[in-house]
Amino acid sequence: MIDVMTSAVPSAVATALEDVDPELRAALLACWTDVSNAGGAVGFVPPVTEDDVAPALDALLTRVAQGRERVVVLRADGELAGWAVLSLSVSPLRRHWATVLRVQVHPARQGQGLGRALMTGVHDAARGLGLEMLHLTVRGGYGLEGFYAGLGYEEFGRMPGAIRVGPGDDREEVHLFVRL
């Protein structure tokens, strides 16, 4: 477990976890469902229920238990405010970098600098694991590239039509990376 106090939001603490207890699982599930239903680009298209999201969360938590992923949770004022995943490579050729997945801040907590605080925690956790670089993708059309550019990420490619959010509504997948 790695705790990181963030300077961006004094009451926010990011923690990288290797396991998740049932209480935290319930909070992660509620957050993921709420973020999805608010239109967040975190793997689902609204509307979704916790029953829709639970299998994806449980698969993720299995990979966490196997040591293949870490969950980085952000608590603000003692409550879960957001979370992200560091997906570690099993390839010996890629063990110096990881992919960041499911970056999300609860809709009720957005606009408070917590996204930056969460990503600062992700970066610190990655450094603590000896990682040198991170990769992530964003769904085109949301303007998230600017947010990540402010954190040092650089775009290195776009895949047109990679994400289908509905019939006739295909979006680009934008690939970004940062050296830590």
Side-chain angles (χ1 to χ4, degrees):
M1 179 167 61
I2 301 169
D3 281 346
V4 181
M5 294 296 289
T6 67
S7 59
V9 181
S11 66
V13 178
T15 307
L17 302 173
E18 297 178 20
D19 64 337
V20 172
D21 64 30
E23 181 181 336
L24 180 56
R25 179 198 174 275
L28 296 172
L29 180 59
C31 183
W32 198 351
T33 303
D34 291 346
V35 168
S36 295
N37 284 326
V42 289
F44 293 93
V45 176
V48 294
T49 66
E50 288 188 357
D51 288 339
D52 298 322
V53 178
L57 177 61
D58 290 338
L60 183 154
L61 295 179
T62 296
R63 294 188 299 276
V64 169
Q66 294 168 341
R68 294 174 34 210
E69 296 187 347
R70 299 286 191 281
V71 174
V72 179
V73 298
L74 181 71
R75 294 188 184 280
D77 305 317
E79 295 182 6
L80 180 74
W83 61 283
V85 176
L86 275 171
S87 183
L88 308 171
S89 179
V90 295
S91 168
L93 301 174
R94 296 180 177 179
R95 289 202 178 126
H96 62 291
W97 65 275
T99 300
V100 181
L101 303 168
R102 310 294 176 235
V103 177
Q104 54 193 290
V105 171
H106 192 278
R109 300 302 305 255
Q110 292 178 4
Q112 302 172 22
L114 294 172
R116 179 173 290 280
L118 174 58
M119 289 306 297
T120 297
V122 167
H123 291 179
D124 289 344
R127 284 186 199 96
L129 292 168
L131 299 171
E132 301 169 19
M133 186 169 50
L134 295 175
H135 163 259
L136 59 79
T137 63
V138 297
R139 186 182 297 174
Y142 284 80
L144 294 171
E145 299 91 331
F147 169 75
Y148 287 106
L151 296 168
Y153 283 80
E154 299 174 44
E155 181 179 323
F156 69 91
R158 290 175 178 255
M159 186 180 298
I163 300 169
R164 180 161 291 155
V165 295
D169 189 2
D170 293 350
R171 307 286 174 90
E172 290 181 314
E173 182 173 77
V174 183
H175 293 258
L176 306 163
F177 80 99
V178 67
R179 293 190 188 278
L180 300 172

